[in-house]
C-alpha cells in the first residue's frame, strides 16, 4: 500500500513502459492514489498516464462527513476528495473508492452514512468498497476507545448504517462490494440495479436475532484464537463475525 501516484509523472511513465515491455501479457496496471496526489497532478499528466497504460487508481474516501474526516485527521474535506475523484474520471482513469463503516461512531452514524452516500454518488466511481472499522493497537483511536470517547459500533448499528447508505446512494453502474474480512455481512451488486436486493438482504439480517463473536490472538492458548462475545477494544488480529439465527454470514 502507498500513494504511488505521488511519484513524478516522468518516473511513472518510465515504470509503465518497463512493465509492459517486460511483461507483454500484462493487461492492466493500477495503483494507489490519494486526494493529494490527484490534486497535484494536472489532468494532462493523468491523461498521459492513462494513455501509457495506467488503467485505474484506488482512493480512500473513508467518509463523506467533514466532522468525521476532521476527527480522523484525514487532511481533506469531503468536497476536496470528491473533486479529486472527479478529476481522475475526467482524465479517463477508472476509479475505485473505499469508505469505512463505523468511522462516525454512534453520535455521527447518520451523518457518516448519508454524507458518504452523497460523496460516492457525486464521484460515480467504477468500484465502491465498504469496509468496517477495525481498531489498531497503539493508535490514537485505540486510546479514545479505552477512554470511552469513541464507541466501536456493533453489528446492529453497522447494519443500520449500511441501510442508510444504500437508501441514499445514487451511483449508476458502480460495482458495490462489501466483502472484506472486516465486514459482518457480505454484499455484492451493481448500482443502482441491485440496490433494492442488497437493502432487502440487510433488512432480513436486521430482523433476525444477532449474535456476534470476536476471534483474537490476544490471550488465546497455544497461539490459537480466542472466541468471545465481548468486543475487545483492541488486540492483535481481531476478526469479527456474525451469526444470524445460527447461520454464519
Amino acid at each position: 500500500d502507498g500513494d504511488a501516484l505521488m511519484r513524478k509523472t516522468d518516473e511513472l511513465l518510465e515504470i509503465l513502459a518497463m512493465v509492459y515491455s517486460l511483461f507483454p501479457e500484462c493487461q492492466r496496471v493500477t495503483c494507489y492514489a490519494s486526494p493529494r496526489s490527484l490534486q497535484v497532478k494536472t489532468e494532462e499528466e493523468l491523461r498521459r498516464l492513462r494513455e501509457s497504460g495506467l488503467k485505474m487508481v484506488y482512493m480512500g474516501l473513508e467518509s463523506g462527513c467533514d466532522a468525521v474526516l476532521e476527527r480522523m485527521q484525514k487532511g481533506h474535506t469531503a468536497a476536496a476528495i470528491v473533486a479529486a475523484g472527479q478529476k481522475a474520471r475526467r482524465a479517463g482513469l477508472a476509479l475505485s473508492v473505499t469508505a469505512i463503516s463505523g468511522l462516525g461512531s454512534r453520535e455521527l452514524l447518520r451523518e457518516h452514512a448519508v454524507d458518504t452516500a452523497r460523496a460516492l454518488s457525486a464521484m460515480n466511481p467504477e468500484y465502491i468498497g465498504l469496509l468496517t472499522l477495525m481498531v489498531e493497537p497503539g493508535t490514537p483511536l485505540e486510546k479514545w476507545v479505552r477512554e470511552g470517547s469513541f464507541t466501536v459500533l456493533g453489528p446492529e448499528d453497522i447494519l443500520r448504517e449500511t441501510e442508510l447508505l444504500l437508501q441514499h446512494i445514487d451511483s449508476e453502474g458502480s460495482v458495490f462490494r462489501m466483502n472484506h474480512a472486516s465486514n459482518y455481512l457480505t454484499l455484492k451488486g451493481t448500482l443502482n440495479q441491485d440496490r433494492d436486493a442488497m437493502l432487502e438482504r440487510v433488512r432480513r439480517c436486521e430482523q433476525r436475532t444477532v449474535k456476534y463473536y470476536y476471534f483474537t490472538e490476544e490471550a488465546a492458548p497455544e497461539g490459537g484464537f480466542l472466541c468471545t462475545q465481548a468486543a475487545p477494544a483492541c488486540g492483535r488480529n481481531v476478526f469479527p463475525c456474525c451469526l444470524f439465527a445460527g447461520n454464519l454470514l
Side-chain angles (χ1 to χ4, degrees):
D1 294 355
D3 189 3
L5 195 67
M6 190 58 84
R7 291 202 65 155
K8 294 179 180 179
T9 300
D10 288 343
E11 293 176 349
L12 290 172
L13 290 170
E14 183 179 349
I15 291 169
L16 286 167
M18 184 175 295
V19 168
Y20 284 107
S21 173
L22 293 174
F23 305 99
E25 71 277 13
C26 180
Q27 296 183 7
R28 72 172 186 172
V29 175
T30 65
C31 79
Y32 285 94
S34 70
R36 178 60 179 161
S37 62
L38 285 167
Q39 287 167 354
V40 299
K41 288 276 192 289
T42 66
E43 286 192 36
E44 178 58 30
E45 286 178 306
L46 294 175
R47 288 192 188 94
R48 287 175 62 198
L49 290 169
R50 173 66 183 88
E51 291 166 358
S52 297
L54 181 63
K55 306 295 186 182
M56 180 165 67
V57 293
Y58 301 89
M59 182 182 70
L61 167 66
E62 327 314 353
S63 176
C65 174
D66 282 338
V68 174
L69 293 171
E70 182 177 357
R71 187 179 192 185
M72 295 299 159
Q73 300 178 22
K74 175 69 173 176
H76 304 277
T77 64
I81 299 172
V82 167
Q86 291 173 335
K87 184 179 184 180
R89 296 217 63 198
R90 286 196 304 272
L93 291 166
L95 179 65
S96 179
V97 179
T98 54
I100 303 176
S101 294
L103 201 59
S105 191
R106 192 161 288 144
E107 62 269 25
L108 289 172
L109 184 153
R110 180 176 181 84
E111 291 85 349
H112 173 56
V114 174
D115 291 347
T116 299
R118 289 172 178 163
L120 291 168
S121 301
M123 286 185 279
N124 187 218
E126 278 76 9
Y127 297 94
I128 294 171
L130 190 60
L131 294 72
T132 302
L133 179 66
M134 299 181 76
V135 181
E136 289 291 327
T139 60
L141 182 56
E142 179 208 359
K143 182 181 178 183
W144 298 344
V145 173
R146 290 191 182 279
E147 293 174 346
S149 61
F150 187 98
T151 301
V152 178
L153 300 186
E156 297 97 329
D157 285 331
I158 292 294
L159 287 172
R160 185 158 62 93
E161 183 185 276
T162 303
E163 182 180 11
L164 279 168
L165 185 146
L166 288 171
Q167 285 173 337
H168 288 85
I169 199 166
D170 180 11
S171 188
E172 186 67 40
S174 295
V175 174
F176 183 91
R177 290 290 183 267
M178 199 172 85
N179 58 352
H180 187 260
S182 63
N183 295 129
Y184 294 107
L185 175 69
T186 296
L187 288 178
K188 299 179 181 180
T190 299
L191 297 169
N192 293 325
Q193 65 188 47
D194 297 325
R195 180 174 51 197
D196 289 345
M198 289 191 288
L199 273 169
E200 179 59 27
R201 179 165 167 76
V202 171
R203 289 165 181 158
R204 284 203 311 270
C205 291
E206 286 181 305
Q207 293 168 0
R208 295 155 78 177
T209 302
V210 178
K211 294 182 180 180
Y212 50 98
Y213 298 85
Y214 296 82
F215 295 89
T216 175
E217 287 179 333
E218 195 169 85
E222 299 179 359
F225 288 91
L226 177 69
C227 179
T228 174
Q229 278 193 270
C234 64
R236 298 194 318 276
N237 295 335
V238 178
F239 301 99
C241 71
C242 274
L243 285 164
F244 293 89
N247 294 320
L248 185 64
L249 298 177

